Amino acid sequence: FLKARARGQLTACKSNLKNIATALEMYASDNKGQYPKSLDGLFPKSYLRRIPSCPSSGTDHDYTYEVTTKPD
């Protein structure tokens, strides 16, 4: 049972990350290739209704997001 639950949580996390990535790409598309400084920037134009919760952490959201002008 625990393995099935862990697989379900992993699947949910992957789906959440894909949704966040899609929202970020839509934002960048609409803003001349610029990404928001924080995930909160996705709300004004409804790219996301809310930050999805991370099922394995039990918190509202536990995603780290950082924008840099000097990528590796």
Side-chain angles (χ1 to χ4, degrees), residues 36-51:
K37 295 193 184 294
S38 74
L39 292 178
D40 294 334
L42 298 174
F43 301 119
K45 291 189 178 181
S46 300
Y47 296 104
L48 285 177
R49 290 185 196 161
R50 63 179 179 81
I51 304 287

Side-chain angles (χ1 to χ4, degrees), residues 3-21 48 50-63:
K3 285 184 181 181
R5 183 176 179 179
R7 278 194 304 267
Q9 289 176 338
L10 178 61
T11 300
C13 266
K14 285 181 180 180
S15 176
N16 288 345
L17 290 172
K18 285 180 183 179
N19 289 337
I20 292 170
L48 285 177
R50 63 179 179 81
I51 304 287
S53 62
C54 181
S56 62
S57 73
T59 61
D60 285 343
H61 54 77
D62 195 22
Y63 300 103

Side-chain angles (χ1 to χ4, degrees), residues 12-35:
C13 266
K14 285 181 180 180
S15 176
N16 288 345
L17 290 172
K18 285 180 183 179
N19 289 337
I20 292 170
T22 299
L24 287 167
E25 288 301 317
M26 289 170 45
Y27 180 98
S29 237
D30 292 345
N31 291 281
K32 300 177 184 175
Q34 299 296 311
Y35 291 92

